[in-house]
Amino acid sequence: MDDERSTPLRSPSEAPSEARPGARPEDVPDARLHALLLEGLPPQALLTDPQVTASYATDMASFCAAGTPAAVVLPRTAEQVQHVLRTAHALRVPVVPQGARTGLSGAANASDGCIVLSLAKMDRILEIDTVDRIAVVEPGVVNAVLSRAVAERGLHYPPDPSSWEQCTIGGNIGTAAGGLCCVKYGVTAEYVLGLDVVLADGRLLSTGRRTAKGVAGYDLTRLFVGSEGSLGVVVKAVLGLRPAPPRQLVLAAEFPSAAAACEAVCAVMEAGLAPSLLELMDRTTVRAVNALGKMGLPDATEALLLAAFDTPQAADGLAAVGELCTAAGATAVVPAEDEAESELLLQARRMALTALEALRPATMIDDVCVPRTRLAEMLEGTAAIARDHDLLIGVCAHAGDGNTHPIVCFDPADEDETRRARTSFDEIMALGLALGGTITGEHGVGVLKKEWLARELGPVGMEMQRAVKHAFDPLGLLNPGKLF
């Protein structure tokens, strides 16, 4: 996999001097690009039919522009990825890495004339080591597949995005994905120990370690996590694992207001409890779930809080949470008695997005994280924005993290409603920043939040971000138009 002695197709000095970062030169016809790609790829790995390549143009985000790719490549080896990057570098053609395209920020959207590099076929679990508690995987491994494989060996890979049955480890690394269990176990970044990354010019870089500890040099591994494919293409990952915990037990608490539910969240965290899950749904979401799943929740429920523990003393943890919820004003507290009841309670949270999607033709999903102490203000402010713009906005949240997901429901065929949806999205982002929060807790920046990244980081922060980008990708070929 070492390519240090490889000769590039063309030296950097031969690039058109007027080319702007990320732009494809006009003198590179598709036929030439395809022919050069095929010199290092099997024919089945290259897709050029416009009707087929168009299906790879976008992820699941709304309001995000996308271009028309010149080709889609589905490599199966790191060497094939290196060939694609060398070719793209020599011809100055942009490359957009993709996983399962379940992202919600437009980070995987194609740009005009680009090579879409789909890592979905690189889906092997290379190693599971029960002594060092690591897994070595390719980027196309689906999260749920890895989770089940390590569970069979008595181990646990905690990150569990809601799309875990479809999303890939490479995509999780690219967006620094979170999930329902983050309140106890943290996000993807906490579990990435080492990476093999193909750089923009085709060189292979290995970062990090397999050991339990390691602090040699700058932490380049963490730099790639959350970089959205803008610094390099991950072709292998060393992931940390944990011992498998007991199956969790779940409690559901109904509240007469979102503020009361948020008060309970703060009380749980202040008490030093360590739930494995602490999720909240607002009134709009609860009613949507009721309509879709016939959950039987009272119409008077203004907020539903779900808490779970995965310890041998799970019932004791639920009892403690139940007392705190009651003290905060909960109208009903229902602890599960076994795993089957717990699974029924979790169904409500899992169907939240599907239930809201059933209300209007389209949804726009926000991802604003605020301090837990400001969570009630975030929910109340979002409800006010919904009223001001006459929109349906439901909020489900990883409440233990303060990570809210306001979901704007709208009809894209209605021009005025679409305008109001976009305006409300921006107001929700501004609200999050005003409350001391961040524009994204786990979905990433992509295309959707570029201007908001600049507002959050400020001019000095943006200058340093761009300097890092230039150091790894001076020609601006990797995922151009994202982040900045």
Side-chain angles (χ1 to χ4, degrees), residues 260-277:
C262 293
E263 180 183 340
V265 170
C266 292
V268 168
M269 303 309 294
E270 188 174 23
L273 299 173
S276 56
L277 175 148

Side-chain angles (χ1 to χ4, degrees), residues 102-144:
T102 57
L104 295 164
S105 70
N109 284 12
S111 56
D112 282 331
C114 77
I115 300 169
V116 165
L117 185 60
S118 171
L119 286 306
K121 299 291 186 182
M122 295 181 66
D123 60 356
R124 294 179 299 163
I125 298 174
L126 302 173
E127 181 183 355
I128 298 173
D129 187 322
T130 57
V131 175
D132 287 322
R133 294 179 181 172
I134 60 171
V136 182
V137 305
E138 291 182 328
V141 172
V142 171
N143 185 294

Side-chain angles (χ1 to χ4, degrees), residues 46 56-57 74 81 112 138 157 164 167 174 220 226 247 282 292-293 305 321 323 345 373 387 390 400 409 468:
L46 179 65
Y56 287 82
L74 295 98
V81 174
D112 282 331
E138 291 182 328
Y157 180 66
W164 78 307
C167 65
L220 297 183
R247 295 296 296 271
D282 74 346
L292 181 67
L305 186 65
V321 169
E323 291 178 3
L345 291 175
T373 52
R387 291 192 299 270
D390 192 23
C409 306
V468 171

Side-chain angles (χ1 to χ4, degrees), residues 37-47 73-77 80:
L37 287 171
L38 283 172
E39 289 182 4
L41 295 171
Q44 64 270 24
L46 179 65
L47 307 178
V73 177
L74 295 98
R76 290 185 179 272
T77 68
Q80 290 174 5

Side-chain angles (χ1 to χ4, degrees), residues 13 31 53 60 99 136 157 204 214 235 259 269 289 323 338 345 471:
S13 63
T53 58
M60 297 180 66
V136 182
Y157 180 66
L204 183 68
V235 291
M269 303 309 294
V289 168
E323 291 178 3
D338 53 33
L345 291 175

